[in-house]
Amino acid sequence: MATIKDVAKKAGLSVSTVSRYLNNHPYISDDKREKIRKAMVELNYTPSSVATQLRSKKGTMIGILVSRITNPFFSYLVDSIERQVKLHGYNVLIMQTYDDKHAEIKMLEMLKQQVLAGLIMCSVEGDPAVIESYREFGPIVLCNEQIPSTTIPQVYTNQEKATYDAINFLIKKGYRKISYCTGGSLTQGGHGNARTRGFEKAITENQLQMKIDWIFKQVHTIKDGQEIAKKILALPPENRPDAIFTSSDEVASGILQIMMGAGKKIPEDLAIMGFDNQPFTAMLTVPLTTISQPVEALGKEATNLLMAHLDGINYQIDHSELNLELIIRESV
Protein backbone atom coordinates (compact mmCIF):
# COMPACT_ATOMS: atom_id res chain seq x y z
CA MET A 1 0.00 0.00 0.00
CA ALA A 2 1.41 3.37 -1.03
CA THR A 3 2.23 5.97 1.61
CA ILE A 4 2.45 9.74 1.61
CA LYS A 5 6.25 9.36 1.31
CA ASP A 6 5.78 7.29 -1.85
CA VAL A 7 3.57 9.99 -3.34
CA ALA A 8 6.12 12.68 -2.48
CA LYS A 9 8.94 10.69 -4.08
CA LYS A 10 6.89 9.98 -7.20
CA ALA A 11 5.93 13.65 -7.54
CA GLY A 12 9.46 14.85 -6.83
CA LEU A 13 8.20 16.99 -3.93
CA SER A 14 8.56 17.07 -0.15
CA VAL A 15 6.31 15.17 2.21
CA SER A 16 5.23 18.47 3.78
CA THR A 17 4.06 19.76 0.37
CA VAL A 18 1.97 16.63 -0.19
CA SER A 19 0.62 16.96 3.34
CA ARG A 20 -0.43 20.55 2.65
CA TYR A 21 -2.13 19.42 -0.58
CA LEU A 22 -4.09 16.76 1.32
CA ASN A 23 -5.09 19.39 3.86
CA ASN A 24 -6.35 21.73 1.12
CA HIS A 25 -3.67 24.32 1.82
CA PRO A 26 -4.22 27.33 -0.46
CA TYR A 27 -0.55 28.18 -1.10
CA ILE A 28 0.40 25.35 -3.46
CA SER A 29 1.04 26.07 -7.13
CA ASP A 30 -1.14 24.48 -9.80
CA ASP A 31 1.77 22.53 -11.30
CA LYS A 32 2.62 20.98 -7.92
CA ARG A 33 -1.04 20.09 -7.38
CA GLU A 34 -1.09 18.35 -10.75
CA LYS A 35 2.12 16.40 -9.99
CA ILE A 36 0.67 15.21 -6.68
CA ARG A 37 -2.68 14.29 -8.25
CA LYS A 38 -0.97 12.25 -10.97
CA ALA A 39 1.32 10.51 -8.47
CA MET A 40 -1.69 9.57 -6.32
CA VAL A 41 -3.49 8.14 -9.34
CA GLU A 42 -0.47 6.16 -10.55
CA LEU A 43 0.19 4.75 -7.07
CA ASN A 44 -3.50 4.19 -6.35
CA TYR A 45 -2.93 6.17 -3.14
CA THR A 46 -5.83 6.73 -0.74
CA PRO A 47 -5.22 9.09 2.21
CA SER A 48 -5.66 7.54 5.64
CA SER A 49 -8.98 8.66 7.09
CA VAL A 50 -7.43 8.86 10.56
CA ALA A 51 -4.50 10.97 9.35
CA THR A 52 -6.87 13.22 7.43
CA GLN A 53 -8.98 13.73 10.54
CA LEU A 54 -5.89 14.53 12.57
CA ARG A 55 -4.66 17.02 9.97
CA SER A 56 -8.04 18.71 9.94
CA LYS A 57 -7.63 19.31 13.69
CA LYS A 58 -4.06 20.56 13.36
CA GLY A 59 -5.00 24.01 14.59
CA THR A 60 -6.26 22.64 17.91
CA MET A 61 -3.81 19.83 18.73
CA ILE A 62 -0.69 20.09 20.88
CA GLY A 63 1.77 17.18 21.12
CA ILE A 64 3.24 16.08 24.44
CA LEU A 65 6.29 13.82 24.36
CA VAL A 66 7.31 11.83 27.46
CA SER A 67 9.59 8.86 28.04
CA ARG A 68 7.08 6.79 30.06
CA ILE A 69 3.57 7.79 31.07
CA THR A 70 3.62 5.05 33.72
CA ASN A 71 6.18 7.11 35.62
CA PRO A 72 3.99 9.08 38.07
CA PHE A 73 6.09 12.22 37.54
CA PHE A 74 5.24 12.28 33.83
CA SER A 75 1.60 11.42 34.55
CA TYR A 76 1.25 14.47 36.79
CA LEU A 77 3.22 16.63 34.36
CA VAL A 78 1.00 15.64 31.42
CA ASP A 79 -2.05 16.34 33.57
CA SER A 80 -0.75 19.82 34.37
CA ILE A 81 0.02 20.57 30.70
CA GLU A 82 -3.29 19.24 29.43
CA ARG A 83 -5.32 21.30 31.90
CA GLN A 84 -3.44 24.44 30.83
CA VAL A 85 -3.70 23.59 27.13
CA LYS A 86 -7.48 23.21 27.35
CA LEU A 87 -7.76 26.65 28.91
CA HIS A 88 -6.36 27.95 25.61
CA GLY A 89 -8.84 25.93 23.53
CA TYR A 90 -6.47 23.14 22.45
CA ASN A 91 -6.47 19.35 22.79
CA VAL A 92 -3.43 17.10 23.30
CA LEU A 93 -1.83 14.12 21.63
CA ILE A 94 0.54 12.16 23.91
CA MET A 95 3.38 9.89 22.79
CA GLN A 96 5.84 7.78 24.82
CA THR A 97 9.39 7.30 23.53
CA TYR A 98 10.66 4.66 25.97
CA ASP A 99 14.04 6.42 25.55
CA ASP A 100 14.04 5.69 21.80
CA LYS A 101 15.14 8.62 19.64
CA HIS A 102 13.34 7.10 16.63
CA ALA A 103 10.01 7.40 18.44
CA GLU A 104 10.93 11.01 19.12
CA ILE A 105 11.41 11.60 15.38
CA LYS A 106 7.94 10.17 14.70
CA MET A 107 6.41 12.87 16.91
CA LEU A 108 8.50 15.56 15.23
CA GLU A 109 7.32 14.29 11.85
CA MET A 110 3.73 14.81 13.01
CA LEU A 111 4.60 18.46 13.57
CA LYS A 112 6.13 18.60 10.10
CA GLN A 113 3.05 17.00 8.55
CA GLN A 114 0.81 19.58 10.24
CA VAL A 115 -0.92 17.10 12.50
CA LEU A 116 0.24 19.23 15.45
CA ALA A 117 0.14 22.98 16.02
CA GLY A 118 3.02 22.76 18.52
CA LEU A 119 5.01 20.31 20.61
CA ILE A 120 6.08 20.13 24.26
CA MET A 121 8.97 17.71 24.75
CA CYS A 122 9.23 16.46 28.35
CA SER A 123 12.09 14.13 27.44
CA VAL A 124 14.87 14.40 24.87
CA GLU A 125 16.79 11.46 23.44
CA GLY A 126 18.01 12.68 20.06
CA ASP A 127 20.39 15.29 18.69
CA PRO A 128 19.25 18.82 19.69
CA ALA A 129 20.32 20.06 16.24
CA VAL A 130 17.87 17.65 14.61
CA ILE A 131 15.08 18.82 16.91
CA GLU A 132 15.90 22.44 16.08
CA SER A 133 15.49 21.72 12.37
CA TYR A 134 11.81 20.95 12.94
CA ARG A 135 11.04 24.35 14.45
CA GLU A 136 10.26 25.71 11.00
CA PHE A 137 7.09 23.57 11.03
CA GLY A 138 5.78 24.79 14.39
CA PRO A 139 6.88 25.87 17.88
CA ILE A 140 8.71 23.39 20.14
CA VAL A 141 9.25 23.83 23.88
CA LEU A 142 11.41 21.66 26.13
CA CYS A 143 9.87 21.00 29.54
CA ASN A 144 11.99 19.73 32.45
CA GLU A 145 14.92 19.38 30.04
CA GLN A 146 17.91 21.72 30.01
CA ILE A 147 20.18 21.75 26.94
CA PRO A 148 22.60 24.71 27.18
CA SER A 149 23.78 24.47 23.56
CA THR A 150 20.36 24.83 21.92
CA THR A 151 18.16 27.80 21.04
CA ILE A 152 14.96 25.78 21.58
CA PRO A 153 12.81 27.49 24.27
CA GLN A 154 13.19 25.65 27.60
CA VAL A 155 11.43 25.47 30.96
CA TYR A 156 13.50 23.68 33.58
CA THR A 157 14.66 23.49 37.18
CA ASN A 158 18.22 23.50 38.50
CA GLN A 159 18.64 19.74 38.88
CA GLU A 160 22.42 19.97 39.02
CA LYS A 161 22.33 22.14 42.13
CA ALA A 162 19.55 20.09 43.74
CA THR A 163 21.54 16.89 43.29
CA TYR A 164 24.76 18.56 44.48
CA ASP A 165 22.97 19.78 47.63
CA ALA A 166 21.37 16.35 48.19
CA ILE A 167 24.72 14.52 47.99
CA ASN A 168 26.28 17.04 50.36
CA PHE A 169 23.38 16.44 52.73
CA LEU A 170 24.21 12.72 52.71
CA ILE A 171 27.89 13.47 53.31
CA LYS A 172 27.10 15.77 56.25
CA LYS A 173 25.01 12.94 57.72
CA GLY A 174 28.17 10.82 57.74
CA TYR A 175 27.75 8.73 54.58
CA ARG A 176 30.91 8.18 52.55
CA LYS A 177 30.17 5.29 50.18
CA ILE A 178 27.46 6.77 48.00
CA SER A 179 25.86 4.90 45.11
CA TYR A 180 24.23 6.69 42.15
CA CYS A 181 21.35 5.78 39.83
CA THR A 182 20.41 7.59 36.62
CA GLY A 183 17.73 7.16 34.01
CA GLY A 184 20.30 8.13 31.38
CA SER A 185 23.23 6.34 29.82
CA LEU A 186 25.97 8.65 31.21
CA THR A 187 26.84 9.74 27.66
CA GLN A 188 27.78 13.36 26.96
CA GLY A 189 24.66 15.42 26.37
CA GLY A 190 22.39 12.53 27.32
CA HIS A 191 19.37 12.24 29.58
CA GLY A 192 19.97 13.05 33.27
CA ASN A 193 23.33 14.76 32.74
CA ALA A 194 22.51 17.71 34.99
CA ARG A 195 21.98 15.42 37.98
CA THR A 196 25.13 13.48 37.10
CA ARG A 197 27.17 16.70 37.06
CA GLY A 198 25.82 17.59 40.50
CA PHE A 199 26.66 14.15 41.86
CA GLU A 200 30.19 14.13 40.43
CA LYS A 201 30.90 17.65 41.69
CA ALA A 202 29.89 16.81 45.27
CA ILE A 203 31.81 13.52 45.28
CA THR A 204 34.94 15.14 43.81
CA GLU A 205 34.92 18.14 46.14
CA ASN A 206 34.67 15.81 49.14
CA GLN A 207 37.34 13.48 47.74
CA LEU A 208 35.14 10.40 47.96
CA GLN A 209 35.36 7.20 45.92
CA MET A 210 33.17 6.47 42.90
CA LYS A 211 33.18 2.69 42.38
CA ILE A 212 31.83 1.22 39.16
CA ASP A 213 29.79 -1.30 41.19
CA TRP A 214 27.92 1.62 42.78
CA ILE A 215 26.85 3.29 39.52
CA PHE A 216 23.61 2.20 37.84
CA LYS A 217 22.37 3.64 34.55
CA GLN A 218 19.16 3.52 32.50
CA VAL A 219 17.03 2.64 35.50
CA HIS A 220 13.43 3.85 35.77
CA THR A 221 11.03 1.43 37.46
CA ILE A 222 10.32 -0.37 40.73
CA LYS A 223 11.62 -3.54 39.09
CA ASP A 224 14.85 -1.74 38.17
CA GLY A 225 15.22 -0.74 41.82
CA GLN A 226 14.68 -4.32 42.93
CA GLU A 227 17.46 -5.51 40.61
CA ILE A 228 19.79 -2.80 41.91
CA ALA A 229 19.18 -3.92 45.50
CA LYS A 230 19.95 -7.53 44.55
CA LYS A 231 23.24 -6.44 42.96
CA ILE A 232 24.18 -4.46 46.07
CA LEU A 233 23.38 -7.43 48.32
CA ALA A 234 25.54 -9.66 46.10
CA LEU A 235 28.59 -7.49 46.86
CA PRO A 236 30.85 -8.39 49.81
CA PRO A 237 29.56 -6.49 52.88
CA GLU A 238 32.71 -4.37 53.07
CA ASN A 239 32.23 -3.25 49.43
CA ARG A 240 28.57 -2.23 49.68
CA PRO A 241 27.53 1.44 49.58
CA ASP A 242 26.11 2.98 52.74
CA ALA A 243 23.80 5.36 50.85
CA ILE A 244 22.17 5.53 47.42
CA PHE A 245 20.85 8.48 45.41
CA THR A 246 18.25 7.33 42.89
CA SER A 247 16.81 8.80 39.71
CA SER A 248 13.21 8.39 40.80
CA ASP A 249 10.98 7.46 43.72
CA GLU A 250 9.97 4.29 41.88
CA VAL A 251 13.57 3.06 41.75
CA ALA A 252 14.04 4.02 45.41
CA SER A 253 10.93 2.12 46.51
CA GLY A 254 12.09 -1.02 44.68
CA ILE A 255 15.44 -0.85 46.49
CA LEU A 256 13.67 -0.29 49.81
CA GLN A 257 11.42 -3.32 49.30
CA ILE A 258 14.23 -5.78 48.55
CA MET A 259 16.57 -4.47 51.26
CA MET A 260 13.91 -4.73 53.95
CA GLY A 261 12.88 -8.15 52.66
CA ALA A 262 16.49 -9.23 53.14
CA GLY A 263 16.34 -8.13 56.78
CA LYS A 264 18.35 -4.92 56.28
CA LYS A 265 17.60 -1.82 58.28
CA ILE A 266 16.92 1.50 56.58
CA PRO A 267 18.81 3.82 56.94
CA GLU A 268 21.26 2.00 59.23
CA ASP A 269 22.38 -0.51 56.58
CA LEU A 270 21.56 1.65 53.56
CA ALA A 271 20.28 5.21 53.35
CA ILE A 272 17.96 5.68 50.35
CA MET A 273 17.10 8.93 48.57
CA GLY A 274 14.48 9.29 45.83
CA PHE A 275 13.60 12.00 43.33
CA ASP A 276 10.17 13.54 42.51
CA ASN A 277 8.35 13.36 45.90
CA GLN A 278 5.47 11.25 44.62
CA PRO A 279 2.48 11.04 47.03
CA PHE A 280 3.20 7.41 47.95
CA THR A 281 6.68 8.20 49.28
CA ALA A 282 5.35 9.47 52.60
CA MET A 283 3.37 6.25 53.09
CA LEU A 284 6.14 3.67 52.60
CA THR A 285 7.15 1.41 55.48
CA VAL A 286 10.13 3.71 55.85
CA PRO A 287 9.03 7.14 54.52
CA LEU A 288 11.35 8.22 51.73
CA THR A 289 13.72 11.16 51.70
CA THR A 290 13.37 12.66 48.24
CA ILE A 291 13.51 15.81 46.12
CA SER A 292 10.23 17.53 45.33
CA GLN A 293 9.71 18.82 41.79
CA PRO A 294 7.32 21.71 40.98
CA VAL A 295 5.27 19.68 38.51
CA GLU A 296 2.33 22.08 38.34
CA ALA A 297 4.57 25.09 37.66
CA LEU A 298 6.58 23.21 35.01
CA GLY A 299 3.42 22.32 33.10
CA LYS A 300 1.96 25.80 33.41
CA GLU A 301 5.08 27.65 32.29
CA ALA A 302 5.82 25.27 29.40
CA THR A 303 2.26 25.67 28.10
CA ASN A 304 2.27 29.45 28.48
CA LEU A 305 5.57 29.64 26.62
CA LEU A 306 4.29 27.46 23.77
CA MET A 307 1.06 29.47 23.48
CA ALA A 308 3.05 32.70 23.31
CA HIS A 309 5.06 31.32 20.38
CA LEU A 310 1.86 30.22 18.64
CA ASP A 311 0.46 33.74 19.07
CA GLY A 312 3.72 35.38 18.00
CA ILE A 313 4.22 37.24 21.27
CA ASN A 314 6.93 37.33 23.93
CA TYR A 315 6.55 35.53 27.25
CA GLN A 316 8.73 35.90 30.33
CA ILE A 317 9.03 32.62 32.23
CA ASP A 318 8.08 32.91 35.91
CA HIS A 319 10.99 31.23 37.70
CA SER A 320 9.69 31.98 41.19
CA GLU A 321 8.00 28.57 41.56
CA LEU A 322 10.46 26.48 39.55
CA ASN A 323 12.36 25.40 42.66
CA LEU A 324 13.41 21.94 43.82
CA GLU A 325 13.18 21.07 47.52
CA LEU A 326 14.82 18.34 49.57
CA ILE A 327 12.14 16.53 51.59
CA ILE A 328 13.77 14.89 54.60
CA ARG A 329 12.16 11.71 55.95
CA GLU A 330 13.23 8.53 57.75
CA SER A 331 15.05 6.73 54.89
CA VAL A 332 18.19 8.84 55.46
Side-chain angles (χ1 to χ4, degrees):
M1 182 180 293
T3 67
I4 189 172
K5 289 184 178 179
D6 296 326
V7 173
K9 184 177 181 180
K10 184 77 173 178
L13 300 169
S14 68
V15 171
S16 60
T17 299
V18 177
S19 177
R20 287 196 295 273
Y21 170 86
L22 294 173
N23 200 35
N24 296 317
H25 196 286
Y27 302 115
I28 299 178
S29 63
D30 290 339
D31 65 316
K32 289 182 178 179
R33 287 181 182 277
E34 183 61 19
K35 288 179 180 179
I36 294 170
R37 188 192 66 77
K38 286 183 177 179
M40 290 174 63
V41 171
E42 291 179 23
L43 293 171
N44 194 27
Y45 172 77
T46 302
S48 163
S49 59
V50 173
T52 302
Q53 290 175 29
L54 286 173
R55 279 193 295 270
S56 69
K57 296 179 180 179
K58 185 258 182 183
T60 62
M61 295 191 70
I62 300 298
I64 306 177
L65 195 69
V66 299
S67 59
R68 290 170 177 78
I69 197 68
T70 52
N71 182 325
F73 169 76
F74 287 117
S75 299
Y76 286 112
L77 183 55
V78 167
D79 179 70
S80 174
I81 293 171
E82 183 168 12
R83 283 188 283 108
Q84 291 297 321
V85 162
K86 287 186 174 181
L87 291 177
H88 293 272
Y90 289 83
N91 295 308
V92 301
L93 184 65
I94 304 163
M95 179 180 286
Q96 304 178 76
T97 65
Y98 299 103
D99 307 319
D100 180 3
K101 63 182 180 181
H102 300 294
E104 183 175 283
I105 291 295
K106 288 182 180 179
M107 191 65 146
L108 290 165
E109 282 293 313
M110 294 179 78
L111 183 68
K112 180 178 180 179
Q113 295 168 12
Q114 301 187 357
V115 172
L116 304 173
L119 176 60
I120 298 177
M121 301 181 66
C122 303
S123 66
V124 174
E125 304 302 331
D127 184 348
V130 173
I131 298 171
E132 282 191 27
S133 70
Y134 281 86
R135 293 179 65 193
E136 66 175 293
F137 306 109
I140 300 173
V141 168
L142 305 185
C143 178
N144 200 46
E145 288 282 355
Q146 181 183 8
I147 304 178
S149 61
T150 185
T151 59
I152 303 171
Q154 306 172 57
V155 177
Y156 55 86
T157 55
N158 194 338
Q159 298 194 22
E160 179 177 344
K161 183 179 185 301
T163 304
Y164 173 80
D165 291 343
I167 300 302
N168 274 313
F169 171 76
L170 290 173
I171 293 169
K172 289 177 182 177
K173 295 284 286 186
Y175 301 102
R176 293 293 180 270
K177 300 189 294 183
I178 303 174
S179 178
Y180 178 71
C181 303
T182 176
S185 60
L186 297 178
T187 56
Q188 187 66 31
H191 175 69
N193 271 16
R195 298 182 196 181
T196 300
R197 288 194 301 269
F199 171 76
E200 291 177 344
K201 181 180 178 182
I203 292 295
T204 301
E205 287 183 356
N206 288 277
Q207 299 181 330
L208 300 181
Q209 284 184 311
M210 273 197 299
K211 289 191 175 183
I212 189 66
D213 290 338
W214 299 347
I215 306 298
F216 303 93
K217 58 185 181 180
Q218 294 181 317
V219 292
H220 307 274
T221 66
I222 291 174
K223 184 177 180 180
D224 290 336
Q226 293 170 340
E227 293 303 314
I228 288 170
K230 292 174 184 177
K231 290 178 181 179
I232 290 174
L233 289 170
L235 295 172
E238 65 274 14
N239 289 336
R240 294 172 188 168
D242 56 13
I244 186 165
F245 175 94
T246 69
S247 55
S248 75
D249 293 334
E250 288 188 279
V251 173
S253 63
I255 295 170
L256 178 67
Q257 178 189 8
I258 294 299
M259 296 302 291
M260 294 192 69
K264 302 302 179 182
K265 294 182 179 180
I266 308 297
E268 290 86 352
D269 293 317
L270 181 69
I272 304 173
M273 183 177 289
F275 207 107
D276 291 338
N277 192 32
Q278 298 301 332
F280 71 83
T281 56
M283 299 180 284
L284 294 171
T285 304
V286 179
L288 187 67
T289 294
T290 184
I291 295 173
S292 178
Q293 296 212 67
V295 181
E296 189 70 25
L298 282 166
K300 179 180 178 181
E301 292 304 309
T303 303
N304 287 343
L305 184 57
L306 184 73
M307 293 301 139
H309 280 275
L310 282 169
D311 294 336
I313 60 177
N314 293 323
Y315 179 75
Q316 191 68 35
I317 297 172
D318 181 3
H319 293 278
S320 63
E321 295 185 18
L322 295 175
N323 299 311
L324 296 161
E325 181 184 0
L326 179 62
I327 307 298
I328 301 172
R329 299 195 182 105
E330 286 87 341
S331 70
V332 173

